[in-house]
Each structure stands twice: as C-alpha cells, then as structure tokens.
Amino acid sequence: DFEFCPSFSRDGRYVVYTTWNDQTLGSIRVASVDQSLNENWIVTPEPGHYVDPVFSPDGQLIVYRKQSGGGITSPLWSRESGLYTIATRDGEGKKISKTGIRPQFGQNGARVFYQKRKTEKEADNLQLCSIDLSGNEERVHYTSVWATDFRISPDSTSIAFIERFHVHVSPFVQSG
C-alpha cells in the first residue's frame, strides 16, 4: 500500500493518513506517533478514494474528502464524492458537503473550513468557506481571483494564503 496526506492530531500523539492500492483501493488510517504504543487502525469501514483527512481539535472526529474514480483509477467504490465526517474510532462516514477540498479546522470543532471554486467551470476564484458539522450554514469567508490555497491558524486568529507564488498572512475575520 502507498500512504498519502498525513496530518497530526492537535496533541501531536496521532497521525491520520490515507492509503492507496490499485487492487484493494484506499482507506483512512490512524497511527500513534509513540512507537511503544504500537497503535494503528483503519478508520473507514469500506474501501474508497480518500484524500485530505484531518482531526477535529478534540481528536474525536476526522473530516476527509472522498473522490470519484475512473480514468487511471478504479471506478469501484467511487460514488457520492464530497466532504465527510467520521468518528476517529468505530464510525460510519457521514456526508456533509457535495463540494470542497482541503478540509481543516480552526480553534474549535464546530465548523469545518474548506476551499472551493466560485463555479465548477472556473480554474480561478478560490473561496474559503465553512459549514457546521451537519453540513448546514455555509459561509464564504474569503474569495481570491488568484489564490491557490488558504490555511487557518490553529487558534483561528490568522489566515495564510498563497497568491501568485507569494505567501501572505493576515488576521482571520470570522464573519462571512
């Protein structure tokens, strides 16, 4: 299996990541950083095309993106693409958005931040949006014609973004 998209828990004790195998497809897994604990488990109950997993601030939840397959990857287990939440242990994935990439959390776990294009046909006009854990109350926080990535600081006070090959840091304003 190949391993991709690692992300640490806020306390630094665990890493969540995705796997890929051309025959058995992919999964989301968690492993302890402390090798003496030797803890690791598969989070997703079924195979799929998974990317960008992140822990909620309290570590009880993982948000990830499920992609559709086809082309050079298997079309199996590739329906219902979008953003999902799942309990870190013994959970069932719950879809919270049909669109969005690079999910992340700010200071608390009440809202999931993610990025999307203003319209699906545009290559530019990236937006930083958020929704609650039920997939409701979408807010658009930032829009940029040229940005390629947005990242919120763990304490939700700052936002970093890449625009025209330069990284900028700015205060993060929570309002939509």
Side-chain angles (χ1 to χ4, degrees):
D1 287 350
F2 294 102
E3 298 169 343
F4 303 96
C5 306
S7 180
F8 280 98
S9 60
R10 293 271 170 105
D11 62 10
R13 295 178 53 211
Y14 295 94
V15 172
V16 61
Y17 61 97
T18 62
T19 64
W20 181 257
N21 180 298
D22 286 341
Q23 283 75 42
T24 59
L25 304 182
S27 63
I28 293 178
R29 299 179 186 207
V30 172
S32 61
V33 173
D34 184 347
Q35 294 298 318
S36 65
L37 293 177
N38 196 25
E39 274 190 293
N40 56 62
W41 63 92
I42 297 173
V43 175
T44 47
E46 57 191 33
H49 304 257
Y50 303 111
V51 293
D52 301 331
V54 292
F55 285 105
S56 62
D58 65 5
Q60 300 300 306
L61 197 66
I62 294 170
V63 175
Y64 60 92
R65 182 166 59 106
K66 185 177 178 184
Q67 301 182 120
S68 55
I72 62 170
T73 60
S74 172
L76 300 174
W77 294 98
S78 64
R79 292 185 179 175
E80 298 295 321
S81 61
L83 295 179
Y84 285 76
T85 62
I86 193 169
T88 301
R89 293 185 188 261
D90 302 320
E92 192 72 32
K94 177 186 166 199
K95 189 175 190 174
I96 58 172
S97 177
K98 292 180 182 180
T99 61
I101 60 172
R102 299 184 195 118
Q104 58 187 300
F105 285 94
Q107 185 173 18
N108 67 51
R111 298 192 69 78
V112 176
F113 293 89
Y114 61 94
Q115 299 166 47
K116 71 177 188 176
R117 303 283 174 209
K118 206 169 185 180
T119 65
E120 295 210 13
K121 294 181 180 181
E122 289 185 273
D124 298 323
N125 289 316
L126 188 66
Q127 296 180 324
L128 177 69
C129 304
S130 70
I131 52 176
D132 65 21
L133 293 175
S134 299
N136 299 313
E137 295 184 31
E138 182 181 51
R139 296 180 192 156
V140 177
H141 297 276
Y142 288 87
T143 300
S144 172
V145 173
W146 304 112
T148 57
D149 198 2
F150 290 105
R151 297 294 166 158
I152 298 170
S153 63
D155 63 2
S156 292
T157 60
S158 301
I159 184 169
F161 57 97
I162 301 170
E163 192 172 71
R164 291 191 169 189
F165 305 103
H166 295 282
V167 175
H168 303 276
V169 177
S170 176
F172 179 61
V173 179
Q174 287 278 352
S175 64

